[in-house]
Amino acid sequence: MIGAARRDWLLTEAPASRRQARLGQSYRLWMAFSRNRLAMVGLGIVLALVAMAIFADVIAPYDPLRGGGLRTARLLPPSAEHLMGTDDQARDIFSRIVHGSRITLMVVALVAVIATPIGLLVGTCAGYFGGWVDTVLMRITDVFLAFPRLILALAFVAALGPGIENAIIAIAITSWPPYARLARAETLTIRDSDHIAAIRLQGASSARILWGHVTPLCLSSVIVRVTLDMAGIILTAAGLGFLGLGAQPPQPEWGAMIAAGRGYIIDYWWVATMPGIAIFVVSLGFNLLGDGLRDILDPKART
């Protein structure tokens, strides 16, 4: 908790410096976000995922790649010794899910890092320059949008070969078009504004205008869209793993774990159900977080 004096300093209507203005705006956004209980639940789930990935070696009670004796520890139901049971190789499912959070977080982070700049670059250039540049870039974007993401990712992975690295590349290649569309729409509303015209009259280059003034104004909307897309990215990665084109055994990837347990779904339900619940909870967390960010970052929603 911050003191009353610090709170008044942050919420003042007449900030004395840019730093104070930025901190005050950030504090107002945090207060608005914290009032959304579902968004806080989503933030808690995401932070738990990050913590679980960082401290997986401490949290997991067993080796995720090696099992116990196949005669005595194979396909055991959930118990105090094995919280989520064991799989067909006598490996502890809870330990594999904990270590699998690292793969999930890595996929989400790398796809966001790769796809977001591509979408911003394509969208802002198309919206700012217009004309044939807009036509060419948007037609390329339409080609990618014409195919379902999972089908297009399957095609790229089939061409590149199975593996988690190729799966990340394929998902990133198929994820940028919505960001490009959003950035283009935002740029079209910004490029003819008075402050952009004033900057242009001062002699600023197109590159400086794009990256120094247009892109920051598009960034909040794109961040919200990226956060909302995290669940789709997780599901796509799990789908590739389920089909054997993502992370390869014995890596503890959640989609691959479901695929390995589908043959035991009737008699040994926990083998496939536990990683499925993990995918559901994490996807729900990113959706709730994205909804909360949209409520506070959308300029049309602000009062």
Side-chain angles (χ1 to χ4, degrees), residues 102-161:
R102 289 181 171 178
I103 298 177
T104 299
L105 194 63
M106 179 183 68
V107 171
V108 168
L110 290 179
V111 169
V113 169
I114 296 171
T116 305
I118 295 175
L120 275 172
L121 176 63
V122 173
T124 53
C125 289
Y128 183 79
F129 293 109
W132 67 268
V133 175
D134 183 22
T135 301
V136 171
L137 292 178
M138 286 302 101
R139 294 302 76 77
I140 295 174
T141 303
D142 290 340
V143 170
F144 281 87
L145 290 173
F147 299 92
R149 177 182 295 179
L150 180 58
I151 302 301
L152 194 58
L154 283 172
F156 281 113
V157 174
L160 297 173

Side-chain angles (χ1 to χ4, degrees), residues 178-189:
Y179 312 149
R181 280 288 184 185
L182 182 60
R184 175 182 178 271
E186 294 283 346
T187 304
L188 288 175
T189 63

Side-chain angles (χ1 to χ4, degrees), residues 56-283:
D57 294 329
V58 178
I59 298 174
Y62 299 96
D63 190 324
L65 304 181
R66 296 181 181 180
L70 292 178
R71 292 184 178 180
T72 58
R74 181 174 181 267
L75 297 173
L76 295 179
S79 62
E81 185 178 0
H82 299 281
L83 296 179
M84 296 183 178
T86 61
D87 62 8
D88 59 320
Q89 299 297 319
R91 296 171 298 198
D92 183 65
I93 295 176
F94 175 73
S95 299
R96 287 178 62 78
I97 288 178
V98 169
H99 280 270
S101 64
R102 289 181 171 178
I103 298 177
T104 299
L105 194 63
M106 179 183 68
V107 171
V108 168
L110 290 179
V111 169
V113 169
I114 296 171
T116 305
I118 295 175
L120 275 172
L121 176 63
V122 173
T124 53
C125 289
Y128 183 79
F129 293 109
W132 67 268
V133 175
D134 183 22
T135 301
V136 171
L137 292 178
M138 286 302 101
R139 294 302 76 77
I140 295 174
T141 303
D142 290 340
V143 170
F144 281 87
L145 290 173
F147 299 92
R149 177 182 295 179
L150 180 58
I151 302 301
L152 194 58
L154 283 172
F156 281 113
V157 174
L160 297 173
I164 188 63
E165 297 84 2
N166 292 337
I168 292 172
I169 295 173
I171 297 172
I173 292 174
T174 60
S175 298
W176 65 266
Y179 312 149
R181 280 288 184 185
L182 182 60
R184 175 182 178 271
E186 294 283 346
T187 304
L188 288 175
T189 63
I190 296 170
R191 68 177 184 180
D192 295 326
S193 60
D194 292 339
H195 75 281
I196 296 295
I199 296 168
R200 193 180 296 115
L201 288 173
Q202 292 175 358
S205 64
S206 297
R208 182 177 178 181
I209 294 174
L210 279 173
W211 292 109
H213 302 277
V214 175
T215 300
L217 294 175
C218 300
L219 200 56
S220 61
S221 299
V222 173
I223 288 175
V224 172
R225 180 58 190 265
V226 171
T227 307
L228 289 171
D229 277 355
M230 293 300 184
I233 293 170
I234 292 172
L235 292 176
T236 302
L240 293 176
F242 182 85
L243 296 173
L245 297 174
Q248 300 299 297
Q251 288 183 304
E253 197 276 325
W254 295 344
M257 291 173 63
I258 295 176
R262 61 183 171 179
Y264 308 95
I265 191 65
I266 296 179
D267 297 322
Y268 307 101
W269 56 268
W270 56 89
V271 180
T273 301
M274 296 304 179
I277 293 175
I279 294 173
F280 167 76
V281 172
V282 173
S283 300

